[in-house]
Amino acid sequence: MNNTEKSRNQMIIDEMNRIINENWTDGISVSYGTDAYTENICEGVYEDINGNYVPVTEKTFIDISSVTKLFTLVTILKLTEENKIDITKKISDYSKLSSYVNIQDIKLYELLNFTKNVVTSSRLDRCSGDEAEALLKSGIVENNRVFYSDIGSIIIVYILDDLFGKGFFRNYSEKLWKNIGMKNTFWWDDIPEDKYGLLQSYDNEYRYSEKDGIYCYHTEPGKPHDPKSKVLGASGHAGIFTTSEDISVFASELIKGNIISYDTINSFILSDAYDSFTDYGQHFGILCYKRAEKSVDSEIPDFASDKSIAISGYTGVYFMIDFQNRKFVFIASNRVHNRMTSLLPSDDISGEYKKVTNKYVYRKDVLRDLCYNYDRIL
């Protein structure tokens, strides 16, 4: 590493430590670069599942929560390339999918671009796996309002398993990761025991709501923070554990066109044919965000190209890929462990109990911008 690279990295390291010192999180890892150059930087510590505080490294396992959706998107598009599915078809076009009784007229991509608000009669996180499957297959479209939801990306997994056999989505996606050299990426319930020492605790998120006051949301060691994932296992919306090292592999191989072709990327990810817009300013593609009209509403910074996508995760994770400039940024922190989340419109809590981290989604943007512009620093 030359002196210029060291100076660039130091600016990023300084910002990472500012975030840690402001008590947003105990540790952060970032990965950034291009298809030809990647950098992994880690600062701070995490509490492992044995209660020990150890340094964050590029091999520390991260619950990427909703960033899982981007992996689901790539899996679906790989199957599209192989002519196994056609996301422009309706559910009713597949004879094996007759059990989805109330959503037969939905096109597969409408499950993925948040245009069909499918709801279930009961909460998925309060039932067994079999009960959840029955609820999803009897779900109804409540309205056609564009609204961010996990349900579509969950249903698509059941659809793939119904078409190709139970466990297909899990096995196919894991094989896809291994084929590109991702050695430490697993569905949460497939993590090998010899990796448990690299798992961080996502337990003890304190929440505040008008109804319940302050209460503690518990996450058992080795399980995902998302409650639906705990019931569903390999699910399209959340549940992947990976490392910043593996994310660098995924991002660079995707940008190179080595996972799915650029014909597919241009036709489905970057095309506006499948885009949708919320009435509160968000711009969606298929299982991702695109640039919103107003910067304050956008997951994509102004200086990135229009050929960019991004997704963020509740646990404190952010992932952006700029296909035109062939760049990526991945930021992973643990904003929920021993921190407070306010479920009220205001973050103000009388008598500060824990650091309220709702606004971390904005606080991390300076770090994101430094990582993206690493080649412009100095």
Side-chain angles (χ1 to χ4, degrees), residues 22 70 84 130 142 162 177 181 210 216 280 282 324 351:
E22 291 169 12
L70 189 54
K84 287 185 167 66
D130 289 342
E142 186 176 52
D162 283 341
W177 307 334
E210 190 171 15
C216 186
Y280 51 89
Q282 289 288 5
Q324 179 173 304

Side-chain angles (χ1 to χ4, degrees), residues 220-235:
E220 297 174 48
K223 289 192 175 182
H225 185 273
D226 180 85
K228 295 186 293 296
S229 294
K230 295 173 186 176
V231 173
L232 301 172
S235 181

Side-chain angles (χ1 to χ4, degrees), residues 273-312:
Y274 307 100
D275 289 4
S276 61
F277 300 84
T278 69
D279 54 14
Y280 51 89
Q282 289 288 5
H283 177 188
F284 295 123
I286 302 174
L287 291 181
C288 65
Y289 289 95
K290 292 187 174 181
R291 187 195 303 283
E293 183 176 350
K294 296 180 180 179
S295 297
V296 69
D297 297 320
S298 186
E299 295 278 358
I300 311 292
D302 290 340
F303 42 75
S305 80
D306 289 336
K307 303 299 184 183
S308 301
I309 62 171
I311 189 78
S312 57

Side-chain angles (χ1 to χ4, degrees), residues 79-92:
L79 291 167
T80 300
E81 282 189 342
E82 295 174 351
N83 295 316
K84 287 185 167 66
I85 58 169
D86 181 348
I87 65 171
T88 67
K89 286 188 175 183
K90 294 180 179 180
I91 291 176
S92 60

Side-chain angles (χ1 to χ4, degrees), residues 6 47 64 82 103 121 136 169 183 194 197 223 234 260 291 310 332 378:
K6 288 180 181 178
E47 184 179 359
I64 61 172
E82 295 174 351
I103 55 173
S121 59
L136 289 162
F169 176 78
K183 300 177 181 178
D194 62 358
K223 289 192 175 182
I260 52 177
R291 187 195 303 283
L378 300 180

Side-chain angles (χ1 to χ4, degrees), residues 323-342:
F323 288 98
Q324 179 173 304
N325 291 320
R326 305 180 80 82
K327 288 184 172 185
F328 75 93
V329 175
F330 175 75
I331 301 172
S333 67
N334 187 340
R335 77 156 192 91
V336 297
H337 180 52
N338 287 333
R339 299 301 191 275
M340 172 75 78
T341 301
S342 174

Side-chain angles (χ1 to χ4, degrees), residues 160-264:
L160 292 174
D161 282 3
D162 283 341
L163 290 174
F164 304 113
K166 195 169 183 65
F168 172 83
F169 176 78
R170 175 193 294 270
N171 297 329
Y172 185 93
S173 57
E174 289 187 338
K175 182 179 178 181
L176 185 64
W177 307 334
K178 299 300 180 290
N179 284 346
I180 62 169
M182 298 175 71
K183 300 177 181 178
N184 289 302
T185 301
F186 305 95
W187 293 106
W188 69 268
D189 49 355
D190 283 339
I191 299 172
E193 287 189 17
D194 62 358
K195 304 288 186 182
Y196 282 5
L198 296 169
L199 292 170
Q200 55 186 307
S201 173
Y202 289 88
D203 196 14
N204 296 334
E205 179 196 12
Y206 291 84
R207 296 181 176 181
Y208 180 76
S209 70
E210 190 171 15
K211 177 183 177 183
D212 301 312
I214 294 173
Y215 63 98
C216 186
Y217 175 79
H218 288 294
T219 299
E220 297 174 48
K223 289 192 175 182
H225 185 273
D226 180 85
K228 295 186 293 296
S229 294
K230 295 173 186 176
V231 173
L232 301 172
S235 181
H237 75 294
I240 290 177
F241 279 65
T242 188
T243 66
S244 59
E245 186 177 57
D246 265 17
I247 287 289
S248 293
V249 174
F250 178 82
S252 61
E253 291 299 300
L254 183 59
I255 293 170
K256 290 174 185 175
N258 288 343
I259 309 177
I260 52 177
S261 70
Y262 262 87
D263 282 346
T264 299

Side-chain angles (χ1 to χ4, degrees), residues 46-62:
Y46 68 94
E47 184 179 359
D48 68 17
I49 61 174
N50 298 312
N52 303 309
Y53 280 88
V54 295
V56 176
T57 75
E58 69 275 6
K59 297 185 184 298
T60 300
F61 275 91
I62 303 155

